[in-house]
Amino acid sequence: MKFATLKDGTLDGALVIVSRDARHALPVPHISHSLVDALRRWDSVREPLESLYRALNAGEAQGEVPFDPRACTAPLPRSPQWLDGSAFLNHGRLMEQAFNTPPIPQFDTVPVMYQGASDDFLGPYQDVPLPSEADGIDFEGEFGVVLGPVPMAATPEQGLEAVRLLVQINDWSLRALGPHEMHTGFGFLQAKPSTSFAPIAVTPDELGDAWRDGRVQMRLHTEWNGERFGEPHGGEMNFSFGQLVAHAARTRCLTAGTIVGSGTVSNKARSAGSACIAERRVIEKIDSGEIRTGFMRFGDQVRLFARYDDGREGPFGVIQQRVVRAQAPGHKAML
């Protein structure tokens, strides 16, 4: 199944089912008013939602409307918890090599993960208001999973069983603020503004063989101001999503609607390009001794979309956003 959330003036938005070709949408308020509500009642709502999804794809649904991704919020405009890993070890190793920093202890065996803000996600076409270009504005293309309930001390196998939906993410970063926050030992806060999501969340079966080994086996294409930046492949994750979920649940239960991200998609092959500016900068430093690429400026745009290995468009839709100067203290882009 494919799901999206339309802006309706509420905090959780209005849930719709999206047709497989992403041309039509079907509101389902009689089953569930929001995606987070559906996830909490998944066992009771899944079958009626699947029945309507089949009818929508067959052209037999009553009340369908054209699907407009620009009318969407994030699939979950807010969630109980947002946890982001760093499952592509190539990304971290490049950082260590470029800046000659000591390796993170147990980096190869224990996932690195931070807990981000989950109360204010951005939709796929929202402008991104930020206070200063000097903060080092960077995009980060990722994949993620949305979970059902996960018990404490769950195994990786149980973690995968809890995956309800797959999503595509832009985890914005402010690189100039990150080093100080990491050195405090408390982790990211100001360096991680609101995270953005592609319009469509999909059940794993929609991907067929492209959901394999607990990984999204697709390329994540990134364009900056209309120019190709990279298309690294999600299959190079060193830790599977099952392992990431198990790590997150080692000492806590995870409630339905929790989102776990992969971290920046990163490949060893230089030809794949990158999914964030910071990685390109460290590659420049390693290869030529000089960083040439700056971070984003106000007015810059980023576009992210996934593709199957055979070149078909991925199921998540597009994230296309512009960075703008925050208009005043406390300014927030309107839903």
Side-chain angles (χ1 to χ4, degrees), residues 116-140:
S118 62
D119 60 334
D120 186 32
F121 294 140
L122 298 178
Y125 288 91
Q126 279 186 258
D127 284 347
V128 182
L130 294 168
S132 173
E133 292 178 346
D135 290 339
I137 303 167
D138 197 358
F139 48 82
E140 286 194 62

